[in-house]
């Protein structure tokens, strides 16, 4: 059933299916709660499943200011309080993993499942920083050299060619939010997570590489890793049967 909750002027869309202890599903960047598909069907046989659209995605409105992981996590904490949920299980994919990590580090949770989760700040090459600082220099100098109109056209062409598809598809507000969130490292909160954590990862993931999973496994006190061989960043979809069997085992679903 589709529902809504207002957090600091932002409308958050979510759905609730099933009965029992609560599982909260948190999607990745550029997606919405519909990505969970038959995962909801599997889980709702034994659990109450709350699938949330993060602010700026799906049926949820955009934040009115530039949010980081803290603000996104606070919005989920507020929704949990509003629904009267105690000790939820969190399942987060990609960006949803970031929020799951921060939430679980400071709240009582039953379990956590991180699927190809973000949260380890990527190591940047020299070429990456060269591109970034070249773009910043162009942004400052081109309007002076060739005028603001032509400069804007050239800068937009360079941005489109260099930026990720997620960045290019986003609105100006969500671009600013993405830039802030992608550079936030959560390794420092991982040791504070006391609940059991399942890491489910595609070994071909290039967005959040398998090395990130090994870092999380090392830093989170009670974490175990399942590798989906041949899968990429959406291993839960690419290796559906393995994903379902792993969830059944970890969550004790008959």
């Amino acid at each position: 059933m589709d529902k809504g909750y207002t957090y600091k002027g932002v409308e958050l869309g979510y759905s609730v299916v099933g009965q029992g202890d609560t599982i909260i599903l948190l999607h990745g960047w550029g997606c919405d709660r519909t990505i969970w598909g038959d995962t909801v069907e599997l889980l709702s046989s034994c659990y109450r499943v709350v699938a949330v659209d993060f602010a700026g995605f799906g049926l949820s409105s955009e934040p009115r200011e530039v949010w980081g992981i803290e603000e996104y996590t606070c919005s989920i904490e507020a929704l949990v309080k509003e629904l009267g949920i105690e000790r939820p299980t969190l399942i987060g994919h990609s960006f949803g993993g970031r929020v799951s990590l921060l939430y679980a580090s400071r709240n009582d949770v039953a379990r956590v499942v991180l699927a190809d989760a973000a949260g380890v700040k990527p190591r940047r090459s020299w070429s990456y920083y060269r591109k970034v600082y070249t773009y910043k220099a162009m942004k400052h100098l081109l309007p002076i050299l060739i005028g603001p109109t032509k400069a804007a056209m050239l800068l937009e062409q360079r941005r489109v060619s260099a930026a990720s598809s997620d960045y290019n598809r986003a609105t100006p507000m969500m671009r600013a939010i993405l830039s802030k969130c992608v550079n936030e490292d959560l390794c420092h909160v991982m040791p504070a997570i006391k609940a059991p954590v399942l890491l489910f990862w595609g070994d071909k993931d290039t967005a959040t590489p398998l090395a990130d999973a090994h870092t999380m496994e090392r830093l989170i006190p009670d974490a175990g890793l399942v590798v989906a061989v041949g899968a990429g960043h959406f291993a839960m979809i690419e290796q559906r049967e393995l994903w379902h069997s792993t969830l059944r085992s970890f969550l004790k679903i008959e």
Side-chain angles (χ1 to χ4, degrees):
M1 180 182 296
D2 291 340
K3 298 187 177 184
Y5 168 68
T6 303
Y7 172 76
K8 293 188 175 181
V10 177
E11 294 295 325
L12 296 178
Y14 67 95
S15 60
V16 181
V17 183
Q19 295 182 342
D21 294 336
T22 302
I23 292 178
I24 300 175
L25 300 178
L26 302 173
H27 63 80
W29 190 274
C31 303
D32 58 37
R33 56 190 157 102
T34 62
I35 196 173
W36 296 109
D38 50 15
T39 296
V40 173
E41 183 178 350
L42 170 68
L43 300 176
S44 60
S45 64
C46 298
Y47 290 91
R48 179 193 188 202
V49 182
V50 178
V52 184
D53 283 337
F54 280 124
F57 302 97
L59 299 179
S60 297
S61 60
E62 287 187 4
R64 299 180 178 181
E65 55 190 18
V66 179
W67 281 14
I69 304 303
E70 174 66 26
E71 289 79 8
Y72 273 100
T73 304
C74 285
S75 72
I76 300 302
E77 289 172 332
L79 177 60
V80 167
K81 184 177 180 180
E82 172 71 14
L83 298 179
I85 298 171
E86 296 182 359
R87 298 192 75 238
T89 290
L90 304 179
I91 301 181
H93 172 248
S94 194
F95 177 78
R98 290 184 184 274
V99 174
S100 298
L101 285 164
L102 185 55
Y103 185 105
S105 74
R106 65 192 192 195
N107 293 282
D108 188 17
V109 298
R111 301 177 190 84
V112 182
V113 180
L114 301 174
D116 295 293
V120 178
K121 187 176 180 179
R123 293 183 178 181
R124 305 296 193 183
S125 65
W126 165 245
S127 62
Y128 169 84
Y129 288 107
R130 178 176 56 80
K131 290 177 182 178
V132 169
Y133 290 114
T134 298
Y135 180 83
K136 288 183 177 181
M138 290 173 62
K139 191 174 181 180
H140 177 72
L141 294 173
L142 282 180
I144 299 173
L145 297 174
I146 62 176
T149 301
K150 191 172 183 179
M153 292 175 58
L154 290 176
L155 287 168
E156 178 65 10
Q157 290 174 3
R158 184 177 178 88
R159 181 193 64 74
V160 170
S161 63
S164 68
S165 58
D166 281 340
Y167 188 90
N168 284 328
R169 287 195 301 264
T171 64
M173 173 58 77
M174 298 308 291
R175 286 174 184 168
I177 290 173
L178 176 59
S179 295
K180 181 176 182 179
C181 290
V182 77
N183 288 310
E184 293 189 49
D185 186 75
L186 295 173
C187 287
H188 65 287
V189 308
M190 295 178 191
I193 300 173
K194 305 308 179 186
V197 176
L198 167 66
L199 305 167
F200 188 87
W201 234 268
D203 68 339
K204 304 301 182 185
D205 189 345
T206 57
T208 53
L210 187 58
D212 291 1
H214 290 306
T215 297
M216 292 182 190
E217 187 179 24
R218 175 172 54 85
L219 293 176
I220 299 171
D222 186 7
L225 173 62
V226 174
V227 177
V229 177
H233 189 56
F234 292 85
M236 62 186 188
I237 296 174
E238 297 170 55
Q239 297 279 359
R240 176 180 173 275
E241 291 186 7
L242 178 61
W243 168 247
H244 283 196
S245 64
T246 302
L247 288 181
R248 287 192 183 96
S249 176
F250 186 65
L251 301 175
K252 298 177 172 59
I253 298 173
E254 297 296 332

